[in-house]
Amino acid sequence: MTAPSAKSFAKDLGVVNLAATLPQTLAPGVAGAIVLVFGYQGLFPVAIVLGILGAFAIWPIKAVR
């Protein structure tokens, strides 16, 4: 990965900001729907599955430069 160019740094910063804030915006609504359907006990299996998926998502990363 290379450093962002001077021409596109604002766009890159916007993408990073969106990637950081969008999950925080959507999570309360999704968690509320899970609680309505399954109760609070439903949050734990969903959290476990998402944690495992996150672990598999970073598994291929071998090193950081």
Side-chain angles (χ1 to χ4, degrees):
M1 183 172 167
T2 60
S5 68
K7 292 181 181 180
S8 68
F9 72 91
K11 178 187 67 138
D12 296 337
L13 185 60
V15 170
V16 169
N17 185 32
L18 186 64
T21 58
L22 188 61
Q24 295 176 5
T25 305
L26 298 177
V30 173
I34 292 169
V35 168
L36 284 175
V37 174
F38 300 108
Y40 284 103
Q41 297 83 6
L43 289 175
F44 295 104
V46 171
I48 291 168
V49 169
L50 290 176
I52 292 170
L53 288 174
F56 281 121
I58 63 169
W59 192 307
I61 300 172
K62 299 296 180 200
V64 177
R65 292 183 192 188

